[in-house]
Every structure is written in C-alpha cells, then in structure tokens.
Amino acid sequence: MIRIRLGSRGLGGVRFAVSPVGSAKDLLRLVGNSPGTLTPAWRARVTEALARHRLGLLAVVGGGGPLGYAPDFIRPEPPASLTDIDTGLHQIATTPHERIRYELEEAVNGHAWDPGSGRPAPTRLLRALDRGEEHFAHRLADEMSRFWHTALESSWPAIRARLEADVAARASEIVRCGLGETLNGLAPNLEWRDGELVVHFRTESIHQLTLDADAVILTPSVFVDWALFCAGEPPGTPAPRTPLIVYPAAQVDCLPPARESSLIGATRQKLLAELGQPRTTTEVARRLYLSPATVSYHLQILHRAGLVSRARRSREVLYQRTGG
C-alpha cells in the first residue's frame, strides 16, 4: 500500500497528463508480466518490434523482473498536460546518473530480481550497466524510439484521442462532483480518504510506503486495469520526482473523424470551412475576427484529431482541412 499525504498545497498541485512514452512503458509492462491480456494483434505487433530491432535491453527494463518492479526513469515526469514523443525520449537520454544508479540498484538488489532466489538480474542488463549510466540512458532512449515508431506510432492518434477524452471527462466530473469523488472513481484500487491518496496492491505485503507530497501527477492509460504507482520516494532519494499514478482510461466518447457541428462546435466548424486551402493562423484569425491565440488553440485540437494537416513554408505554418 502506498499512502500519499496531500495538504492544501498538495491538492493544489494535482494535475492530469497524457504521455506517449508512458503508454509505451505500460505496453512493455504488459508484455513482460501478462502478455495473455493483450489482443493477438497487439501481441504480434509488439513481439515483432522487439525482435526486429533487437530491443532486448528495453524489454528487460520496461517489462520488469519477476517481482514486478520496473525502473521508473523510462517513464519520465510529463512536463505538461500533453508531451510529444521526442520530449520524452530526450528526458530518458538525459536522466541524472544518480537517478539511474538508485533505481537500478533497487531493481537488481531485490525490487525486480531477487539475488537469493535463483532469479538474479539478467546478464544483458548488468553488461549494459558496465558501460556507465550515460551510455545506458542513451541506449534505452534509442531502443524506446525504435519501439515507439514500430509498435505504437500508427495507433497513437486514436489512443491519444481516448486519453484526452478521459482527461476532459475527469475535469468535467471535478466541476460537478468535486476532486475527492473524482479521485475515488479513477481505479478500483485507488481511494481518497482522510487527506490521503491511497494505492492498494493486489498483494498488500509487497510494499508499504507513506509519503508527504506537494503534488501528484495522474496519467490515464489504455494498457492498465488497475492504478500503478510510479516514482514517488521518501526524503533523501537522488533526483526526487513528483509522485505519479497511472490509472485505466475510461471508455469515453472521443472526437470522431466526422465533422458534425454538434460534436466539433461552431468555432471549429468555421475554422474547418476556412481551411479548404492552406492558411496561416493569422490569416484564419483575420477572416473570422478571432484572436490568433484562440485560433491556434482550436487548430491544435483539430490537428491532434486528424481533421487538419499542417506544413511549414519558410517561417510560416500552413493549416489545411484533411481531405480537401
């Protein structure tokens, strides 16, 4: 059981984030711990990606050991509500050396692999560590990049739409029901009680930890069915991170590719009508008598939903409605 004690300051620091690297880590964890829960198509795709690119080190670190723990530094702390894959890969590659040493020592000495059980850490992992933390981090970032582009990139727009829809639904629920009730509904093993956010494990004897925190990051995932606790540590931990909880994304309606104004909204419908030919943000703003900031905000959402494309011309970015 993990108890995260949040005072008024901590409650003010609760935020939601969507992470492409985090989703890749969750997928690797499933492959390493319970591949039978993946659909045959996903299982084949992941197996092919790991084998074709020889991503053995990533499979070992991301999948975790027989005791279940997987080092958290390959799931970097999301710096914003939505981060791109390149930001996450850069964070992995530049992980502080002391953080890598701390997490891998914890894994090798018992959290993931029990040296006394006859199931010690894999030789592949130990040999990679022999070349130093910097080499280790860069190699994992490179392997994660290849895994992402082979196994996840093509499905990411649909996954991201579902994750963003989940976060939007949680925000609406907070407005209607309050933060406490929303937290209690995130996962069956997550509860808010007496000023604490509590994460229960399937086997409660695995780990017991109580933390005082000024913030918590909540990130949805399509590859988990229970809440997972990541990266929160007691005082004195090298390069400490904000406690992060992964929870199962709800089955909520996502923005579909259809362009009905009832789903898209009047402003975005007008934007799409103007983008039959390539236009800049400034051009659209001038034609619709809107501020460039407002237009930019809506264009980003339409682009993520696959409804508009964008291309750079010199110093300008041109947007155009997909399909003409």
Side-chain angles (χ1 to χ4, degrees), residues 4-278:
I4 306 172
R5 294 191 294 218
L6 295 166
S8 57
R9 181 178 178 183
L11 283 174
V14 173
R15 66 181 176 92
F16 288 79
V18 172
S19 168
V21 169
S23 289
K25 167 79 180 298
D26 295 330
L27 182 55
L28 287 164
R29 176 183 168 275
L30 274 185
V31 175
N33 288 275
S34 50
T37 62
L38 287 170
T39 65
W42 270 111
R43 196 159 56 245
R45 187 192 300 189
V46 171
T47 301
E48 193 273 339
L50 293 173
R52 188 209 307 178
H53 295 292
R54 300 179 180 179
L55 308 180
L57 181 62
L58 180 68
V60 167
V61 177
L67 299 182
Y69 172 78
D72 293 318
F73 67 85
I74 63 170
R75 183 200 300 277
E77 181 176 318
S81 60
L82 175 64
T83 55
D84 57 55
I85 186 62
D86 290 332
T87 297
L89 294 173
H90 176 74
Q91 287 178 284
I92 294 173
T94 56
T95 303
H97 295 179
E98 63 271 22
R99 181 75 200 188
I100 295 175
R101 283 194 300 271
Y102 167 76
E103 291 193 12
L104 290 175
E105 285 175 1
E106 292 290 305
V108 169
N109 293 327
H111 275 8
W113 297 276
D114 182 0
S117 68
R119 303 180 73 177
T123 303
R124 184 193 303 270
L125 171 63
L126 299 178
R127 286 178 177 171
L129 271 174
D130 286 342
R131 300 188 62 179
E133 289 81 5
E134 183 174 2
H135 173 269
F136 192 89
H138 279 84
R139 179 172 169 183
L140 277 177
D142 177 67
E143 291 198 11
M144 179 66 87
S145 175
R146 284 181 280 168
F147 177 75
W148 162 264
H149 290 295
T150 303
L152 262 175
E153 183 178 26
S154 62
S155 297
W156 180 242
I159 293 173
R160 181 184 60 201
R162 180 177 164 188
L163 300 182
E164 290 183 317
D166 174 276
V167 172
R170 306 299 181 182
S172 177
E173 187 177 3
I174 291 171
V175 172
R176 291 183 290 105
C177 307
L179 179 59
E181 187 169 333
T182 301
L183 293 173
N184 277 323
L186 292 180
N189 63 319
L190 184 66
E191 64 173 327
W192 171 254
R193 69 184 188 202
D194 301 326
E196 296 179 342
L197 195 55
V198 183
V199 184
H200 297 277
F201 297 117
R202 285 184 167 94
T203 304
E204 287 294 358
S205 60
I206 291 178
H207 195 38
Q208 301 285 330
L209 181 64
T210 299
L211 298 170
D212 292 304
D214 291 334
V216 170
I217 301 171
L218 302 166
T219 179
S221 174
V222 300
F223 298 118
V224 303
D225 59 356
W226 271 41
L228 304 177
F229 174 77
C230 307
E233 303 89 8
T237 300
R241 288 178 45 174
T242 303
L244 184 149
I245 295 173
V246 184
Y247 67 89
Q251 292 284 358
V252 293
D253 292 332
C254 301
L255 184 66
R259 293 172 178 160
E260 294 89 341
S261 60
S262 61
L263 291 174
I264 294 177
T267 299
R268 293 172 197 167
Q269 188 74 11
K270 291 177 182 178
L271 287 175
L272 289 172
E274 291 292 334
L275 294 174
Q277 64 185 54

